[in-house]
Coordinates of all heavy atoms in Angstrom, one line a residue:
S99 N 2.0 -13.8 -7.8 CA 0.8 -13.7 -7.0 C 0.9 -12.8 -5.9 O 1.9 -12.6 -5.4 CB 0.6 -15.2 -6.5 OG 1.2 -15.5 -5.3
L100 N -0.2 -12.4 -5.4 CA -0.3 -11.4 -4.3 C -0.6 -12.0 -3.0 O -1.5 -12.9 -3.0 CB -1.5 -10.4 -4.7 CG -1.7 -9.3 -3.7 CD1 -0.5 -8.4 -3.5 CD2 -3.0 -8.6 -4.1
T101 N 0.3 -11.8 -2.1 CA 0.1 -12.3 -0.8 C -0.1 -11.1 0.2 O 0.7 -10.2 0.4 CB 1.3 -13.1 -0.2 OG1 1.5 -14.1 -1.3 CG2 1.1 -13.7 1.1
L102 N -1.3 -11.0 0.9 CA -1.5 -10.1 1.9 C -1.2 -10.5 3.3 O -1.8 -11.5 3.7 CB -3.0 -9.5 1.8 CG -3.4 -8.9 0.6 CD1 -4.9 -8.5 0.6 CD2 -2.6 -7.6 0.5
T103 N -0.3 -9.9 4.0 CA -0.2 -10.2 5.4 C -1.0 -9.5 6.2 O -1.5 -8.4 5.8 CB 1.4 -9.9 5.7 OG1 1.6 -8.4 5.6 CG2 2.4 -10.6 4.7
P104 N -1.2 -9.8 7.4 CA -2.0 -9.1 8.4 C -1.5 -7.7 8.6 O -2.3 -6.8 8.8 CB -1.8 -9.9 9.8 CG -1.6 -11.3 9.3 CD -0.8 -11.1 8.1
M105 N -0.2 -7.5 8.6 CA 0.3 -6.2 8.7 C -0.1 -5.2 7.5 O -0.4 -4.1 7.6 CB 1.9 -6.1 8.9 CG 2.5 -4.7 8.9 SD 2.1 -3.8 10.3 CE 3.0 -4.7 11.7
M106 N 0.0 -5.8 6.2 CA -0.4 -5.0 5.1 C -1.8 -4.7 5.3 O -2.3 -3.6 4.9 CB -0.2 -5.9 3.9 CG 1.4 -6.0 3.6 SD 1.7 -7.3 2.2 CE 0.9 -6.5 0.9
C107 N -2.7 -5.5 5.6 CA -4.2 -5.3 5.8 C -4.4 -4.3 6.8 O -5.3 -3.4 6.6 CB -4.9 -6.6 6.1 SG -5.0 -7.8 4.8
S108 N -3.8 -4.4 7.9 CA -3.8 -3.3 9.0 C -3.6 -2.0 8.4 O -4.2 -1.0 8.7 CB -2.9 -3.7 10.1 OG -3.1 -2.7 11.1
R109 N -2.4 -1.8 7.7 CA -2.0 -0.6 7.2 C -3.0 0.0 6.1 O -3.2 1.2 6.1 CB -0.6 -0.7 6.6 CG 0.4 -0.8 7.5 CD 1.9 -0.9 6.8 NE 2.8 -1.1 7.9 CZ 4.2 -1.4 7.5 NH1 4.4 -1.5 6.4 NH2 4.9 -1.5 8.5
L110 N -3.4 -0.9 5.4 CA -4.5 -0.6 4.3 C -5.8 0.0 4.9 O -6.4 1.1 4.5 CB -4.8 -1.7 3.4 CG -5.9 -1.5 2.3 CD1 -5.4 -0.4 1.2 CD2 -6.3 -2.8 1.7
L111 N -6.3 -0.7 5.9 CA -7.5 -0.3 6.6 C -7.2 1.1 7.3 O -8.1 2.0 7.4 CB -8.0 -1.3 7.7 CG -8.5 -2.5 6.9 CD1 -8.8 -3.6 8.0 CD2 -9.7 -2.2 6.1
K112 N -6.0 1.2 8.0 CA -5.7 2.5 8.7 C -5.6 3.6 7.7 O -6.2 4.7 8.0 CB -4.5 2.4 9.6 CG -4.0 3.6 10.2 CD -2.8 3.3 11.1 CE -2.6 4.5 12.0 NZ -1.3 4.2 12.7
H113 N -5.0 3.5 6.6 CA -4.8 4.4 5.6 C -6.1 4.9 5.1 O -6.5 6.2 4.9 CB -3.9 4.0 4.5 CG -3.8 5.1 3.3 ND1 -3.1 6.2 3.6 CD2 -4.4 5.1 2.2 CE1 -3.3 6.8 2.4 NE2 -3.9 6.2 1.5
A114 N -7.0 3.8 4.8 CA -8.4 4.2 4.2 C -9.2 4.9 5.2 O -9.9 6.1 4.9 CB -9.1 2.9 3.8
D115 N -9.1 4.6 6.5 CA -10.0 5.4 7.5 C -9.4 6.7 7.9 O -10.1 7.8 7.9 CB -10.0 4.6 8.8 CG -10.9 5.2 9.9 OD1 -12.0 5.5 9.5 OD2 -10.4 5.2 11.0
E116 N -8.1 6.9 7.8 CA -7.4 8.2 8.4 C -7.3 9.2 7.1 O -7.6 10.3 7.3 CB -6.2 8.0 9.0 CG -6.4 7.2 10.5 CD -5.0 7.0 11.0 OE1 -3.9 7.2 10.5 OE2 -5.1 6.4 12.1
E117 N -6.7 8.7 6.1 CA -6.4 9.5 4.8 C -7.4 9.8 4.0 O -7.5 10.8 3.4 CB -5.0 9.1 4.3 CG -4.0 8.8 5.2 CD -3.4 10.1 5.8 OE1 -3.5 11.2 5.1 OE2 -3.0 10.3 6.9
L118 N -8.2 8.8 3.6 CA -9.2 8.7 2.6 C -10.6 9.0 3.1 O -11.5 9.2 2.3 CB -9.2 7.4 1.8 CG -7.7 7.0 1.1 CD1 -7.9 5.6 0.6 CD2 -7.4 8.0 0.1
A119 N -10.7 9.0 4.4 CA -12.1 9.0 5.0 C -13.1 8.0 4.4 O -14.3 8.4 4.2 CB -12.6 10.5 4.9
V120 N -12.6 6.8 4.1 CA -13.4 5.7 3.7 C -13.4 4.7 4.8 O -12.4 4.3 5.1 CB -12.8 5.2 2.3 CG1 -13.6 3.9 1.9 CG2 -12.9 6.1 1.3
P121 N -14.5 4.1 5.0 CA -14.6 2.9 5.8 C -13.8 1.9 5.4 O -13.8 1.5 4.2 CB -16.1 2.5 5.9 CG -16.8 3.7 5.5 CD -16.0 4.4 4.5
G122 N -13.1 1.3 6.2 CA -12.1 0.0 5.8 C -12.8 -1.1 5.1 O -12.2 -1.6 4.2
L123 N -14.0 -1.4 5.5 CA -14.7 -2.5 4.9 C -15.0 -2.2 3.3 O -15.0 -3.0 2.5 CB -15.9 -2.9 5.5 CG -15.8 -3.5 6.8 CD1 -17.1 -3.9 7.5 CD2 -15.0 -4.9 6.8
A124 N -15.2 -0.9 3.0 CA -15.5 -0.5 1.7 C -14.1 -0.9 0.7 O -14.3 -1.2 -0.5 CB -15.7 1.0 1.5
V125 N -12.9 -0.6 1.5 CA -11.7 -0.9 0.7 C -11.7 -2.5 0.4 O -11.3 -2.8 -0.6 CB -10.6 -0.4 1.5 CG1 -9.3 -1.0 0.9 CG2 -10.5 1.1 1.7
I126 N -12.0 -3.3 1.5 CA -11.8 -4.7 1.3 C -13.0 -5.1 0.3 O -12.6 -5.9 -0.6 CB -12.1 -5.3 2.7 CG1 -10.9 -5.1 3.6 CG2 -12.3 -6.9 2.5 CD1 -11.1 -5.6 5.0
S127 N -14.1 -4.7 0.4 CA -15.2 -5.3 -0.4 C -14.9 -4.9 -1.9 O -15.4 -5.5 -2.8 CB -16.6 -4.7 0.0 OG -16.7 -3.4 -0.1
G128 N -14.1 -3.9 -2.0 CA -14.0 -3.3 -3.5 C -13.0 -4.3 -4.3 O -12.9 -4.2 -5.5
G129 N -12.3 -5.1 -3.5 CA -11.4 -5.8 -4.2 C -11.3 -7.4 -4.0 O -10.8 -8.2 -4.7
I130 N -12.4 -7.9 -3.3 CA -12.6 -9.3 -3.1 C -13.0 -10.0 -4.4 O -12.4 -11.1 -4.7 CB -13.7 -9.6 -2.0 CG1 -13.1 -9.2 -0.7 CG2 -14.1 -11.0 -2.0 CD1 -14.1 -9.3 0.6
D131 N -13.8 -9.5 -5.2 CA -14.2 -10.1 -6.5 C -13.0 -10.3 -7.4 O -12.8 -11.3 -8.0 CB -15.3 -9.3 -7.2 CG -15.0 -7.8 -7.4 OD1 -13.9 -7.3 -6.9 OD2 -15.9 -7.0 -7.9
R132 N -12.1 -9.3 -7.3 CA -11.0 -9.4 -8.3 C -9.8 -10.4 -7.7 O -9.2 -11.2 -8.4 CB -10.3 -8.0 -8.3 CG -11.0 -7.1 -9.3 CD -10.8 -5.7 -9.1 NE -11.6 -4.9 -10.1 CZ -12.9 -4.6 -9.9 NH1 -13.5 -5.1 -8.9 NH2 -13.5 -3.8 -10.9
M133 N -9.9 -10.4 -6.2 CA -8.9 -11.5 -5.7 C -9.5 -13.0 -6.0 O -8.7 -13.7 -6.3 CB -8.8 -11.4 -4.2 CG -7.9 -10.2 -3.9 SD -7.4 -10.0 -2.2 CE -9.0 -9.7 -1.5
V134 N -10.7 -13.2 -6.0 CA -11.3 -14.4 -6.2 C -11.1 -14.7 -7.7 O -10.9 -15.9 -8.2 CB -12.9 -14.4 -5.9 CG1 -13.5 -15.6 -6.4 CG2 -13.1 -14.2 -4.5
M135 N -11.2 -13.6 -8.6 CA -11.2 -14.0 -10.1 C -9.6 -14.4 -10.3 O -9.5 -15.3 -11.0 CB -11.3 -12.6 -10.7 CG -11.3 -12.7 -12.3 SD -11.6 -11.0 -13.1 CE -9.9 -10.3 -13.0
E136 N -8.7 -13.7 -9.7 CA -7.3 -14.1 -9.8 C -7.1 -15.6 -9.2 O -6.5 -16.4 -9.9 CB -6.4 -13.2 -9.1 CG -6.2 -11.8 -9.8 CD -5.5 -12.0 -11.1 OE1 -4.6 -12.7 -11.2 OE2 -5.9 -11.2 -12.1
G137 N -7.7 -15.8 -8.1 CA -7.4 -17.1 -7.6 C -8.1 -18.2 -8.4 O -7.5 -19.4 -8.4
L138 N -9.2 -17.9 -9.1 CA -9.7 -19.0 -9.9 C -9.1 -19.0 -11.4 O -9.5 -19.9 -12.0 CB -11.3 -18.8 -10.0 CG -12.2 -19.0 -8.8 CD1 -13.6 -18.5 -8.9 CD2 -12.0 -20.4 -8.3
G139 N -8.4 -18.1 -11.6 CA -7.7 -18.0 -12.9 C -8.6 -17.7 -14.1 O -8.3 -18.1 -15.3
T140 N -9.6 -16.9 -13.8 CA -10.5 -16.5 -14.9 C -10.2 -15.2 -15.4 O -9.7 -14.4 -14.6 CB -11.9 -16.6 -14.4 OG1 -12.7 -16.2 -15.4 CG2 -12.3 -15.6 -13.2
D141 N -10.4 -14.9 -16.6 CA -10.2 -13.6 -17.1 C -11.3 -12.6 -17.1 O -11.3 -11.4 -17.4 CB -9.7 -13.7 -18.5 CG -8.3 -14.2 -18.8 OD1 -7.5 -14.2 -17.7 OD2 -8.0 -14.8 -19.7
N142 N -12.5 -13.1 -16.7 CA -13.7 -12.3 -16.8 C -14.3 -12.2 -15.3 O -14.7 -13.1 -14.7 CB -14.8 -13.0 -17.6 CG -16.0 -12.2 -18.1 OD1 -16.2 -11.2 -17.4 ND2 -16.7 -12.6 -19.0
I143 N -14.4 -10.9 -15.0 CA -15.0 -10.7 -13.6 C -16.5 -11.1 -13.5 O -16.9 -11.3 -12.3 CB -14.7 -9.3 -13.2 CG1 -14.8 -9.1 -11.7 CG2 -15.7 -8.3 -13.9 CD1 -14.3 -7.7 -11.2
R144 N -17.0 -11.2 -14.6 CA -18.5 -11.5 -14.4 C -18.6 -13.0 -14.1 O -19.8 -13.5 -13.6 CB -19.2 -11.4 -15.8 CG -19.4 -9.9 -16.3 CD -20.1 -9.9 -17.5 NE -20.3 -8.5 -17.8 CZ -20.9 -8.0 -19.0 NH1 -21.3 -8.9 -19.9 NH2 -21.0 -6.8 -19.1
D145 N -17.6 -13.9 -14.2 CA -17.7 -15.2 -13.7 C -17.7 -15.4 -12.1 O -18.1 -16.3 -11.5 CB -16.3 -16.0 -14.2 CG -16.5 -16.2 -15.7 OD1 -17.5 -16.0 -16.3 OD2 -15.3 -16.5 -16.2
V146 N -17.3 -14.2 -11.5 CA -17.2 -14.3 -10.1 C -18.0 -13.3 -9.3 O -18.2 -13.4 -8.0 CB -15.8 -14.2 -9.5 CG1 -15.0 -15.3 -10.1 CG2 -15.2 -12.8 -9.8
I147 N -18.7 -12.3 -9.9 CA -19.4 -11.3 -9.2 C -20.6 -11.7 -8.7 O -21.3 -12.7 -9.3 CB -19.6 -9.9 -10.0 CG1 -20.3 -10.2 -11.2 CG2 -18.2 -9.4 -10.2 CD1 -20.6 -9.0 -12.0
A148 N -21.2 -11.4 -7.6 CA -22.4 -11.9 -7.0 C -23.6 -11.7 -7.8 O -24.5 -12.4 -7.7 CB -22.5 -11.3 -5.5
Y149 N -23.7 -10.6 -8.4 CA -24.9 -10.1 -9.3 C -24.5 -9.9 -10.6 O -24.4 -8.7 -10.9 CB -25.7 -8.9 -8.6 CG -26.0 -9.3 -7.1 CD1 -25.2 -8.7 -6.2 CD2 -27.0 -10.1 -6.8 CE1 -25.5 -8.9 -4.8 CE2 -27.3 -10.3 -5.5 CZ -26.5 -9.7 -4.4 OH -26.7 -10.0 -3.1
P150 N -24.5 -11.0 -11.3 CA -23.8 -10.6 -12.8 C -25.0 -9.9 -13.8 O -26.1 -10.2 -13.6 CB -23.5 -12.0 -13.3 CG -24.5 -13.0 -12.6 CD -24.6 -12.3 -11.1
K151 N -24.5 -9.1 -14.5 CA -25.5 -8.4 -15.4 C -25.0 -8.8 -16.9 O -23.9 -9.0 -17.3 CB -25.3 -6.9 -15.3 CG -25.5 -6.2 -13.9 CD -27.0 -6.1 -13.6 CE -27.2 -5.4 -12.4 NZ -27.0 -6.0 -11.2
N152 N -26.1 -8.9 -17.6 CA -25.8 -9.1 -19.1 C -25.6 -7.8 -19.8 O -25.7 -6.8 -19.2 CB -26.9 -10.0 -19.7 CG -28.3 -9.3 -19.7 OD1 -28.4 -8.0 -19.6 ND2 -29.4 -10.0 -19.8
Q153 N -25.6 -7.8 -21.0 CA -25.1 -6.5 -21.9 C -26.5 -5.6 -21.9 O -26.2 -4.5 -22.3 CB -24.6 -6.9 -23.3 CG -23.3 -7.6 -23.3 CD -22.7 -7.8 -24.6 OE1 -23.4 -7.7 -25.6 NE2 -21.4 -8.2 -24.7
Q154 N -27.5 -6.2 -21.5 CA -28.8 -5.3 -21.5 C -28.8 -4.7 -20.0 O -30.0 -4.1 -19.7 CB -30.0 -5.9 -21.9 CG -30.1 -6.2 -23.3 CD -29.2 -7.5 -23.8 OE1 -28.9 -8.3 -23.0 NE2 -28.6 -7.4 -24.9
A155 N -27.9 -4.8 -19.1 CA -27.9 -4.4 -17.8 C -28.9 -5.1 -17.0 O -29.5 -4.5 -16.1 CB -28.0 -2.8 -17.7
Q156 N -29.3 -6.3 -17.3 CA -30.4 -7.0 -16.6 C -29.7 -8.1 -15.9 O -28.7 -8.7 -16.4 CB -31.3 -7.6 -17.5 CG -32.1 -6.6 -18.2 CD -33.2 -7.3 -19.2 OE1 -32.9 -8.2 -19.9 NE2 -34.4 -6.7 -19.3
E157 N -30.2 -8.5 -14.7 CA -29.7 -9.5 -13.9 C -30.4 -10.8 -14.4 O -31.7 -10.9 -14.2 CB -29.9 -9.3 -12.5 CG -29.0 -10.1 -11.5 CD -29.8 -11.5 -11.3 OE1 -31.0 -11.5 -10.9 OE2 -29.1 -12.5 -11.2
P158 N -29.8 -11.8 -14.8 CA -30.5 -12.9 -15.6 C -31.4 -13.8 -14.6 O -32.3 -14.5 -15.2 CB -29.4 -13.7 -16.3 CG -28.1 -13.3 -15.7 CD -28.3 -11.9 -15.0
M159 N -31.0 -14.0 -13.4 CA -31.8 -14.8 -12.5 C -33.0 -14.3 -12.0 O -33.9 -15.1 -12.0 CB -30.9 -15.2 -11.3 CG -29.5 -16.0 -11.7 SD -28.5 -16.5 -10.3 CE -29.6 -17.8 -9.7
T160 N -33.2 -13.0 -11.9 CA -34.4 -12.4 -11.4 C -35.0 -11.5 -12.5 O -36.1 -10.9 -12.2 CB -34.1 -11.5 -10.1 OG1 -33.4 -10.5 -10.5 CG2 -33.6 -12.4 -9.1
D161 N -34.5 -11.3 -13.6 CA -34.7 -10.5 -14.6 C -35.0 -9.0 -14.3 O -35.8 -8.3 -14.8 CB -36.1 -11.0 -15.3 CG -36.2 -10.4 -16.8 OD1 -35.2 -10.2 -17.4 OD2 -37.4 -10.3 -17.1
A162 N -34.1 -8.5 -13.2 CA -34.2 -7.2 -12.7 C -33.4 -6.4 -13.7 O -32.4 -6.8 -14.3 CB -33.6 -7.1 -11.4
P163 N -33.5 -5.1 -13.9 CA -34.8 -4.4 -13.4 C -36.1 -4.7 -14.2 O -36.0 -5.1 -15.4 CB -34.4 -3.0 -13.6 CG -33.6 -3.0 -14.7 CD -32.8 -4.3 -14.7
A164 N -37.2 -4.7 -13.4 CA -38.4 -5.2 -13.9 C -39.4 -4.0 -13.6 O -39.2 -3.3 -12.6 CB -38.9 -6.5 -13.4
P165 N -40.6 -4.0 -14.3 CA -41.5 -2.9 -13.8 C -42.0 -3.1 -12.5 O -42.2 -4.2 -12.0 CB -42.8 -3.2 -14.9 CG -42.1 -3.9 -16.0 CD -40.9 -4.7 -15.4
V166 N -42.4 -2.1 -11.9 CA -42.8 -2.1 -10.5 C -44.4 -1.9 -10.5 O -45.0 -1.2 -11.2 CB -42.2 -0.9 -9.7 CG1 -42.8 -0.8 -8.3 CG2 -40.7 -1.0 -9.8
D167 N -44.9 -2.8 -9.6 CA -46.4 -2.8 -9.4 C -46.9 -1.4 -8.8 O -46.3 -0.9 -7.9 CB -46.8 -3.9 -8.4 CG -48.3 -3.9 -8.1 OD1 -49.0 -4.3 -9.2 OD2 -48.8 -3.6 -7.1
P168 N -47.9 -0.7 -9.5 CA -48.3 0.6 -8.9 C -48.7 0.5 -7.4 O -48.6 1.6 -6.7 CB -49.4 0.9 -9.8 CG -49.2 0.1 -11.0 CD -48.5 -1.2 -10.6
G169 N -49.2 -0.6 -6.9 CA -49.5 -0.6 -5.5 C -48.3 -0.5 -4.7 O -48.4 0.1 -3.5
Q170 N -47.3 -1.1 -5.0 CA -46.0 -1.0 -4.3 C -45.4 0.4 -4.2 O -45.1 0.9 -3.1 CB -44.9 -2.0 -4.8 CG -45.2 -3.4 -4.7 CD -44.0 -4.2 -5.5 OE1 -43.7 -3.9 -6.5 NE2 -43.7 -5.3 -4.8
L171 N -45.7 1.1 -5.3 CA -45.3 2.5 -5.3 C -46.0 3.4 -4.4 O -45.6 4.2 -3.6 CB -45.2 3.0 -6.8 CG -44.3 2.5 -7.7 CD1 -44.6 3.1 -9.2 CD2 -42.9 2.9 -7.4
H172 N -47.4 3.1 -4.5 CA -48.4 3.8 -3.5 C -48.1 3.6 -2.0 O -48.0 4.4 -1.3 CB -49.8 3.4 -3.9 CG -50.8 4.1 -3.0 ND1 -51.3 3.6 -1.9 CD2 -51.4 5.3 -3.2 CE1 -52.2 4.5 -1.4 NE2 -52.2 5.4 -2.1
D173 N -47.8 2.2 -1.8 CA -47.4 1.9 -0.4 C -46.2 2.7 0.1 O -46.0 3.1 1.3 CB -47.2 0.4 -0.2 CG -48.4 -0.4 -0.3 OD1 -49.6 0.1 -0.3 OD2 -48.3 -1.7 -0.7
L174 N -45.3 2.9 -0.7 CA -44.1 3.6 -0.3 C -44.0 5.0 -0.5 O -43.1 5.8 -0.2 CB -42.9 2.9 -1.2 CG -42.5 1.5 -1.0 CD1 -41.6 1.0 -2.0 CD2 -42.0 1.4 0.4
G175 N -45.2 5.5 -1.0 CA -45.4 7.0 -1.2 C -44.4 7.5 -2.4 O -43.9 8.6 -2.3
I176 N -44.3 6.7 -3.4 CA -43.4 7.1 -4.6 C -44.3 7.4 -5.8 O -45.2 6.6 -6.1 CB -42.4 6.0 -4.8 CG1 -41.5 5.8 -3.6 CG2 -41.7 6.4 -6.1 CD1 -40.5 4.6 -3.9
A177 N -44.1 8.5 -6.4 CA -44.9 8.8 -7.6 C -43.8 9.0 -8.8 O -42.7 9.6 -8.6 CB -45.6 10.1 -7.5
I178 N -44.3 8.4 -9.8 CA -43.4 8.5 -11.1 C -44.1 9.5 -12.1 O -45.2 9.4 -12.3 CB -43.3 7.2 -11.9 CG1 -42.5 6.0 -11.0 CG2 -42.5 7.4 -13.2 CD1 -42.5 4.7 -11.6
L179 N -43.3 10.6 -12.2 CA -43.8 11.8 -12.9 C -43.5 11.6 -14.5 O -42.4 11.1 -14.8 CB -43.3 13.1 -12.5 CG -43.4 13.3 -10.9 CD1 -42.7 14.6 -10.5 CD2 -44.9 13.4 -10.6
P180 N -44.3 12.1 -15.2 CA -44.0 12.0 -16.8 C -42.9 12.8 -17.0 O -42.6 13.9 -16.4 CB -45.3 12.4 -17.4 CG -46.1 13.1 -16.4 CD -45.6 12.7 -15.0
T181 N -42.1 12.5 -18.0 CA -40.9 13.2 -18.4 C -41.3 14.4 -19.3 O -42.4 14.2 -20.0 CB -39.9 12.4 -19.2 OG1 -40.5 11.8 -20.3 CG2 -39.3 11.4 -18.3
T182 N -40.9 15.6 -19.2 CA -41.1 16.6 -20.0 C -39.9 17.0 -20.8 O -38.8 17.0 -20.3 CB -41.5 17.8 -19.2 OG1 -40.5 18.2 -18.3 CG2 -42.9 17.6 -18.5
R183 N -40.2 17.2 -22.1 CA -39.0 17.5 -23.0 C -39.0 18.9 -23.4 O -40.1 19.4 -23.8 CB -39.1 16.6 -24.2 CG -38.9 15.1 -23.9 CD -38.8 14.3 -25.1 NE -38.7 12.9 -24.9 CZ -38.2 12.0 -25.5 NH1 -37.7 12.3 -26.6 NH2 -38.2 10.7 -25.2
T184 N -38.1 19.5 -23.4 CA -37.8 20.9 -23.8 C -37.3 20.9 -25.2 O -36.2 20.3 -25.4 CB -37.1 21.8 -22.8 OG1 -35.7 21.2 -22.6 CG2 -37.6 21.8 -21.4
P185 N -37.7 21.8 -26.1 CA -37.1 21.8 -27.3 C -35.8 22.5 -27.5 O -35.4 23.2 -26.6 CB -38.1 22.8 -28.1 CG -39.2 23.4 -27.1 CD -38.9 22.7 -25.9

């Protein structure tokens, strides 16, 4: 099992900030789901991630992604252009 001491966390955050130019919280957030997975003893990360996706890349609780109302696009100043195919 993995045990993180405060010193190890401090060194990890310092290295991420100074050497990798990555904010320290990005390093922490990238591994929390895997630590929870290990702690719960599950083999599937989908059991612990906050927004699980199915094999069609849809989020089952909200059925996202879903079509957007044209009024919402207009309010935000977004236009969806038709795709053009080149031979």
Side-chain angles (χ1 to χ4, degrees):
S99 84
L100 177 64
T101 304
L102 291 176
T103 65
M105 179 64 77
M106 290 170 64
C107 290
S108 175
R109 287 181 181 170
L110 177 65
L111 294 176
K112 183 176 180 183
H113 177 72
D115 187 43
E116 294 175 359
E117 302 296 324
L118 303 175
V120 174
L123 290 178
V125 173
I126 292 173
S127 65
I130 288 177
D131 51 1
R132 284 157 182 81
M133 287 191 296
V134 171
M135 185 180 85
E136 288 293 320
L138 294 174
T140 180
D141 292 333
N142 191 342
I143 198 164
R144 290 182 179 179
D145 294 340
V146 299
I147 58 174
Y149 304 101
K151 304 276 189 287
N152 61 22
Q153 291 185 351
Q154 288 78 37
Q156 294 176 320
E157 196 276 313
M159 296 183 76
T160 63
D161 201 28
V166 179
D167 180 72
Q170 291 175 320
L171 295 174
H172 181 268
D173 291 345
L174 297 170
I176 298 173
I178 298 178
L179 303 176
T181 58
T182 58
R183 297 183 183 208
T184 57

